[in-house]
Amino acid sequence: MPPKPRPLHLTSDHVARIPVIEDPGPPNYAFVRLATDADYDAEVERWISAAPGDDFWIFAYGSLIWNPATDTDAEKIAVARGWHRSFCLFDQRYRGNPKQPGLMLCLDRGGTCRGVAYRIPAARLRENLHKLIRREMSMVPSAFPARWIKVMTETGPLTTLAFIIDRRDQRYIGGLSLAERADQLAQAHGWKGSMAEYVLSTVTRLEELGIHDRNLWQIQRLVAERIEHHWPR
């Protein structure tokens, strides 16, 4: 069994201090366009055609851990080597806004990431993949396109679909310290909620699973400290 989760510095009380705003609409980026049904159809078919076997697995490392967006019929703790979770995707709509942009989690190259591999039921594969793609890809080209990666589980290796940041994309934010990321995460909020809520949900679920991410643990403490300063009661 996973060890008992440790108490977090960041709490629901911190999250409750941060307002939720109305949807400002999609950002007016010159280098992307809104995804269409045709884009979604093509991407789902690309995933299915490239699948390595009869079982279809996805690798969850952030919000997909606590909000999978699809039906699943099996899960395994998994380790992705050569990748790490990082707040590196610029967001000024969902959990950020133009004045206080957020940083969403993506897989970035280097290091190691422990997460969860979920299997999507074969009988409802396309239905569930369409749910997934509509949540993960609102713009074309995507800043974090899906690709197949190898992960290791306690029962052996798996090939899973994972969403990985494209460092060439203009929305990629690299090179920030943990303190700089926390500065941004503590103030960002959008129509789907705050980045603080996103951090809290992710760390809470990881701790429940017995997954300790050292950087994320430090970030949740730093975010809590900054909220107490920026958003006093």
Side-chain angles (χ1 to χ4, degrees), residues 45-57 125 148 159 161:
E45 293 309 312
R46 183 180 72 84
W47 292 352
I48 292 175
S49 65
D54 294 334
D55 290 339
F56 197 108
W57 293 85
L125 181 59
W148 293 95
T159 301
L161 193 74

Side-chain angles (χ1 to χ4, degrees), residues 35-89:
T36 66
D37 286 341
D39 294 318
Y40 296 136
D41 291 343
E43 189 70 356
V44 166
E45 293 309 312
R46 183 180 72 84
W47 292 352
I48 292 175
S49 65
D54 294 334
D55 290 339
F56 197 108
W57 293 85
I58 59 174
F59 180 66
Y61 53 85
S63 62
L64 288 178
I65 290 179
W66 46 271
N67 184 18
T70 65
D71 298 325
T72 63
D73 60 8
E75 64 179 72
K76 299 181 181 184
I77 301 297
V79 179
R81 302 196 183 279
W83 307 100
H84 69 283
R85 61 173 62 83
S86 174
F87 288 99
C88 61
L89 175 62

Side-chain angles (χ1 to χ4, degrees), residues 84-85 87 178 212-220:
H84 69 283
R85 61 173 62 83
F87 288 99
L178 292 184
H212 179 57
D213 184 305
R214 182 177 59 186
N215 287 341
L216 208 53
W217 186 262
Q218 293 183 51
I219 282 177
Q220 63 86 25

Side-chain angles (χ1 to χ4, degrees), residues 21 34 81 105 124 128 158-159 165 168 192 210 219 229:
I21 65 175
L34 291 175
R81 302 196 183 279
L105 271 178
R124 299 186 304 278
N128 279 287
L158 285 177
T159 301
I165 193 68
R168 299 166 298 179
K192 281 201 169 183
I219 282 177
H229 175 73

Side-chain angles (χ1 to χ4, degrees), residues 96-129:
N97 63 74
K99 292 184 178 180
Q100 294 159 312
L103 293 171
M104 304 297 287
L105 271 178
C106 284
L107 276 189
D108 199 359
R109 64 173 180 252
T112 300
C113 178
R114 292 185 71 209
V116 182
Y118 289 115
R119 188 175 66 189
I120 298 179
R124 299 186 304 278
L125 181 59
R126 277 184 174 80
E127 171 191 343
N128 279 287
L129 291 182

